Amino acid sequence: MQKDDLLRLLRDPNLLPSEKQTLLSNIAAQAAALDMPCYIVGGFVRDLLLGKLVNDFDIVVEGDAIKLGKTLVKKFGGKLTPHDKFHTAIWRLPETWNLIPDTLDLITARKETYLMPGALPTVTPATIEDDLRRRDFTINSMAIRMEGDHFGELLDPLNGQADLEEGLIRILHPRSFIEDPTRIFRAIRYEARYSFNLESSTFNLINPESLDIIPRLSGERIRHELDLIFEEGNSSQMILRAGEFGLFKMIHPSLPLFNADYSDFLDVDPTLDIPTSRTEMGYMLWLMDLMEDGIMSIAERLDFTSDLAYSVWAVSQLKKSLPFLTGSKPSVWTFALEKLPPLSIYVVYLVSRENALLDFLSIWRHVKPHTTGNDLKARGLEPGPRFGEILTQLRAAWLDGDVTNKQQEEDLLNQIT
Ligand code: ATP
């Protein structure tokens, strides 16, 4: 791409919002003053060249990123969190700028050495070209230089632009997936996100040799990649593809294929007023048909939070108990469902279409009697477990339609106290 064309993209407010353009030029000016070559890299360049809106960027410098960070804070404010070991810093932008995201990563160009496949690499400062060569795919290995007269120069030593035009996901060297098999998950994500193809030797390198390294990856790293998949718009395509490649049994022997019948539900946004999370829904749909010990063992392997493990477990338990609940009164449903996470209930609704679950989420869970504990005290009753029983009985009467107004509730209360 000609420099002028790239400049046009960088100055297009439909691709890069103008406040972000200002931020970038402020950073570039400080880098120029320090005589420090400064680049934007990775996903930003890829998406800009694809003509997509870009919002988020990492800055890579040939030099000391922490020094650049300190200069930026001195000049503009905000707060710097340096990481001396990696020569990187996170700049929390001044609040008055009101930018989202409100932090920016400043990174020293680095070289990485893998002492052991699947482990995290050792990092040493290096040139931008070294930095591009440590990356995952050619389309993510381009940089745009930012400071001074260099503004808008594209660095593309690995021919990322050509692959972008042809729609190819290509690793940088044959050992890439062995060094870091999380790249297999990333390849699948980009392939489906952009409707690209895996370049043929890249495709062939997703093979027993690289899959064999997956068991060495930490649960946290694998879960991060799976989370990223579930956050994507077409996650169903990605998770089905990951299954086809045989990734799951390498993660955990009991991890099943994703049930294709559930794949449409991955992209559903609940319309009800319940806290929702695409990733949580993804794991719930994936694991709901397993037995309890399978779920717990996978939750441990993938380093689930206890809340996530509980939500997934709740889905599987509820799904199994549906046949016993079907046809019950609303109060029976309500008291059975009340302690479960609403999103777990919603997911079971999606796969079962049991209307009582929707009634619970939209109506029944909000039904409460008028009478309160204070009213019972005012009647001279001693506070204690009996209070809860009375209130529960009143609530059940409302739920089941046995009382429909305040007077009827009062009458029932007189009968039972
Ligand atoms: P996305 O749109 O998926 O967020 P991104 O390019 O911003 O794309 P990040 O996960 O933020 O993705 O990573 C930033 C950059 O770091 C990538 O563009 C890539 O160059 C590099 N990168 C990320 N993960 C790896 C990896 N496992 N191995 C090598 N390079 C990686």
Side-chain angles (χ1 to χ4, degrees), residues 42-43 46-47 58 134-136 140 180 182-183 186 189-190 193-194:
R46 176 196 69 219
D47 286 344
D58 297 341
R134 74 177 171 88
R135 288 172 185 268
D136 46 5
N140 282 342
D180 178 359
T182 65
R183 293 172 183 158
R186 297 177 64 83
R189 195 155 55 84
Y190 292 125
R193 185 200 287 172
Y194 297 114

Side-chain angles (χ1 to χ4, degrees), residues 376-402:
L376 298 183
K377 256 195 249 164
R379 288 179 163 242
L381 293 168
E382 278 298 310
R386 179 78 189 120
F387 265 38
E389 288 164 18
I390 295 169
L391 295 174
T392 302
Q393 213 174 330
L394 295 178
R395 187 166 179 225
W398 275 101
L399 283 163
D400 298 339
D402 298 336

Side-chain angles (χ1 to χ4, degrees), residues 153-316:
E153 282 172 15
L154 180 68
L155 267 83
D156 183 15
L158 296 148
N159 293 323
Q161 215 186 149
D163 285 340
L164 206 54
E165 274 157 24
E166 282 185 60
L168 288 178
I169 313 291
R170 185 196 304 268
I171 43 173
L172 307 191
H173 58 87
R175 286 188 59 78
S176 181
F177 287 144
I178 293 169
E179 278 179 0
D180 178 359
T182 65
R183 293 172 183 158
I184 301 174
F185 296 81
R186 297 177 64 83
I188 289 171
R189 195 155 55 84
Y190 292 125
E191 178 195 36
R193 185 200 287 172
Y194 297 114
S195 299
F196 279 11
N197 292 309
L198 299 178
E199 172 275 329
S200 67
S201 58
T202 299
F203 176 88
N204 289 327
L205 286 163
I206 304 181
N207 59 22
E209 197 187 356
S210 56
L211 295 180
D212 260 1
I213 311 293
I214 292 181
R216 298 193 207 170
L217 291 173
S218 71
E220 193 190 347
R221 290 187 71 200
I222 299 176
R223 208 198 60 248
H224 177 67
E225 294 304 327
L226 293 170
D227 286 355
L228 292 176
I229 285 180
F230 286 128
E231 278 160 21
E232 297 267 348
N234 49 355
S235 46
S236 49
Q237 205 184 330
M238 301 172 189
I239 202 76
L240 292 172
R241 179 83 157 142
E244 280 166 24
F245 274 117
L247 300 191
F248 301 155
K249 54 181 177 297
M250 305 310 293
I251 297 174
H252 188 289
S254 312
L255 193 56
L257 291 179
F258 193 92
N259 184 340
D261 292 343
Y262 299 163
S263 61
D264 286 349
F265 304 134
L266 272 180
D267 305 328
V268 168
D269 285 322
T271 43
L272 296 167
D273 167 30
I274 51 177
T276 167
S277 142
R278 293 180 70 91
T279 53
E280 257 185 67
M281 280 180 74
Y283 293 114
M284 288 175 185
L285 288 162
W286 192 2
L287 306 180
M288 70 162 83
D289 293 320
L290 294 177
M291 302 304 283
E292 179 168 350
D293 52 351
I295 293 178
M296 289 311 157
S297 171
I298 290 167
E300 201 171 314
R301 169 67 179 115
L302 288 178
D303 207 14
F304 281 4
T305 61
S306 53
D307 280 355
L308 177 58
Y310 177 67
S311 300
V312 173
W313 172 85
V315 173
S316 79

Side-chain angles (χ1 to χ4, degrees), residues 315-383:
V315 173
S316 79
Q317 293 300 305
L318 176 56
K319 186 159 178 249
K320 287 184 191 82
S321 45
L322 272 191
F324 306 104
L325 283 164
T326 300
S328 300
K329 290 179 175 183
S331 60
V332 174
W333 277 106
T334 301
F335 299 135
L337 297 176
E338 205 145 50
K339 299 271 178 319
L340 305 181
L343 192 59
S344 302
I345 298 170
Y346 186 72
V347 167
V348 178
Y349 165 71
L350 287 177
V351 301
S352 67
R353 295 289 150 177
E354 168 56 69
N355 276 325
L357 298 172
L358 211 52
D359 287 338
F360 168 78
L361 289 171
S362 49
I363 308 166
W364 299 340
R365 70 186 167 128
H366 303 297
V367 171
K368 301 272 149 58
H370 292 278
T371 309
T372 64
N374 281 339
D375 297 330
L376 298 183
K377 256 195 249 164
R379 288 179 163 242
L381 293 168
E382 278 298 310

